[in-house]
Amino acid sequence: MFDNPALILNTATTPSGTINWKSPSNIALIKYWGKYGVQFPRNPSISFTLENAFTQTILGYEPKTNQGDGISLDFTFHGEENEAFKTKMVKFLESIRPIFPFLNQLHLTVKSGNSFPHSAGIASSASSMSALALCLCTLEDELFQTLQDDTLFDKKASYVARLGSGSACRSIYGGMAAWGETSAIIGAANEYAIPFEEEMHDVYKNFHDDILIASQGEKSVSSRAGHALMEGNAYAAPRYQQANDRMQQLVEVLKNGDVETFGKIAENEALTLHALMMTSDPSYILMRPNSLKMIELIRDYRATTKHPIYFTLDAGPNLHVLYPENIIHEVRPFIEEQLVPLCEDNMWISDWVGEGPEQLDT
Ligand code: PMV
């Protein structure tokens, strides 16, 4: 869709430069789980873009002196060389050369870092791949002036981010973003995400999503392996149908502000995601005992106080606690007194629906 063999440089006149983007993570309410082809989703998904959990990536470029064919990259993460991350990035950059053929002609320097500790067990692929995709689209535009149209720029950045990590395509937009074909949202596509903000009821615009770190450990099963296991999962077909039906229901409550139904769908989606992992072959469990304790406490607190506080989960043990801004003063003491002591090293991140990526000065 975005392959472009014409994007070749005259290196004799190519300048050097630096590009700096900060891009957030996102939390899905309808979960993407199961894929086909090159990162196409088996079902539609929709997410809140976060504000405080982000990656900052600085991309430096200069014309290569020796015009070998490979990707030439220096890479540091939080100021230190990281061979594992670098190898992954080189592989990814190689795979997208039909989109950005000029990558062969440049020497690149990538300096990347997250706002949250790498060890926190928070999925960083959405923020890191979206930050990199944004840097690459800005690079194309600086060199060829081909992405002056903001809508086209975002679409291409989302497309490229998707190739790096499916869920990353939704991080390009502030507020909410939807990805995957669905009749519930006009324009929704498998190739890239689209923003959903315009139709969102006010109550969701500053919704909170506090991230409670139940365990900081590395995941025992990567999401790549998890997606692959959906191919043999007995519940796969009904799950994809369910996700489609839920998209319709959720879009309705996102428009009308019915927070109770919103919370019911969000919790059920989280538990469905983990149920799919538990029913895969081989089966696996990513929740930890304290994840379940926190879920019980949230449900008890809700039943007692009638406050609209809900949870969702990523493909990991950490709880995302969802609640509207107007109950923050009641909910915060509950979180700090009852949930935070269940977190590893008392670690948690106060987060909320954010405004999306930002290009920073270099
Ligand atoms: O983007 P991936 O391939 O790491 O998949 C992540 C999928 C979930 O985070 C579990 C759900 C989602 O839609 O973000």
Side-chain angles (χ1 to χ4, degrees):
M1 177 171 200
F2 282 106
D3 288 9
N4 188 353
L7 297 177
I8 295 289
L9 294 164
N10 174 358
T11 44
T13 57
T14 300
S16 316
T18 309
I19 294 159
N20 187 355
W21 275 94
K22 147 186 168 180
S23 187
S25 189
N26 69 74
I27 182 71
L29 301 160
I30 303 289
K31 308 289 183 184
Y32 147 59
W33 200 239
K35 63 179 172 182
Y36 68 95
V38 185
Q39 308 264 82
F40 289 120
R42 289 280 187 202
N43 66 260
S45 60
I46 187 163
S47 53
F48 279 144
T49 300
L50 298 178
E51 180 66 20
N52 294 331
F54 63 83
T55 298
Q56 185 182 349
T57 295
I58 301 173
L59 171 68
Y61 62 94
E62 59 187 312
K64 252 192 210 169
T65 40
N66 101 34
Q67 292 276 329
D69 227 14
I71 295 289
S72 173
L73 174 72
D74 289 329
F75 176 81
T76 52
F77 183 68
H78 287 283
E80 288 180 16
E81 287 182 13
N82 183 318
E83 276 308 313
F85 285 6
K86 179 179 167 175
T87 307
K88 267 193 199 163
M89 189 168 286
V90 168
K91 233 173 130 185
F92 175 61
L93 293 171
E94 280 169 355
S95 76
I96 55 172
R97 281 179 297 184
I99 303 173
F100 303 116
F102 55 87
L103 289 177
N104 276 333
Q105 302 177 282
L106 298 171
H107 174 67
L108 305 173
T109 311
V110 172
K111 296 178 185 162
S112 197
N114 295 336
S115 62
F116 43 90
H118 176 58
S119 65
I122 296 180
S124 57
S125 64
S127 53
S128 61
M129 293 317 298
S130 56
L132 179 63
L134 288 158
C135 285
L136 292 170
C137 287
T138 299
L139 174 59
E140 176 189 321
D141 195 47
E142 282 190 6
L143 297 174
F144 300 93
Q145 294 76 49
T146 36
L147 294 172
Q148 302 277 306
D149 177 283
D150 288 349
T151 308
L152 178 65
F153 180 98
D154 287 349
K155 192 187 261 195
K156 183 158 184 176
S158 181
Y159 179 95
V160 171
R162 184 201 100 227
L163 298 174
S165 166
S167 59
C169 72
R170 297 185 310 241
S171 280
I172 300 299
Y173 299 101
M176 297 193 79
W179 172 41
E181 281 163 17
T182 166
S183 56
I185 301 173
I186 297 164
N190 282 346
E191 287 81 4
Y192 45 79
I194 58 167
F196 183 73
E197 210 172 8
E198 283 154 50
E199 301 180 89
M200 201 198 321
H201 188 278
D202 279 352
V203 70
Y204 303 110
K205 290 194 172 147
N206 45 11
F207 227 71
H208 285 262
D209 179 320
D210 290 338
I211 310 168
L212 285 282
I213 311 298
S215 166
Q216 304 176 31
E218 284 269 317
K219 284 193 287 190
S220 55
V221 179
S222 68
S223 56
R224 176 187 294 267
H227 285 291
L229 289 173
M230 278 301 279
E231 293 307 299
N233 191 305
Y235 300 101
R239 159 60 191 161
Y240 301 142
Q241 183 58 49
Q242 176 191 53
N244 273 284
D245 296 345
R246 280 190 174 153
M247 248 345 240
Q248 306 280 349
Q249 293 164 13
L250 189 73
V251 164
E252 238 358 84
V253 302
L254 288 171
K255 288 182 187 166
N256 70 20
D258 174 358
V259 173
E260 204 178 311
T261 307
F262 164 89
K264 201 167 138 183
I265 295 172
E267 289 195 354
N268 207 291
E269 273 294 298
L271 296 175
T272 299
L273 170 69
H274 284 259
L276 291 166
M277 297 171 188
M278 291 185 213
T279 52
S280 292
D281 182 11
S283 151
Y284 62 107
I285 301 177
L286 294 184
M287 279 191 279
R288 307 296 306 140
N290 280 358
S291 318
L292 285 172
K293 279 191 191 148
M294 289 196 246
I295 288 173
E296 284 181 344
L297 284 169
I298 290 168
R299 289 186 159 176
D300 287 350
Y301 178 79
R302 184 167 73 228
T304 316
T305 62
K306 308 283 182 256
H307 286 320
I309 169 171
Y310 305 94
F311 68 86
T312 186
L313 299 154
D314 239 327
N318 304 324
L319 262 275
H320 286 247
V321 185
L322 299 163
Y323 56 94
E325 167 76 15
N326 67 351
I327 58 166
I328 188 163
H329 297 297
E330 289 87 353
V331 164
R332 268 297 162 82
F334 159 70
I335 291 177
E336 287 176 7
E337 286 158 26
Q338 298 199 43
L339 302 186
V340 173
L342 294 170
C343 294
E344 193 165 344
D345 296 335
N346 289 337
M347 198 193 287
W348 70 293
I349 296 166
S350 164
D351 215 339
W352 51 83
V353 175
E355 293 185 359
E358 190 185 346
Q359 187 173 5
L360 305 172
D361 292 338
T362 52

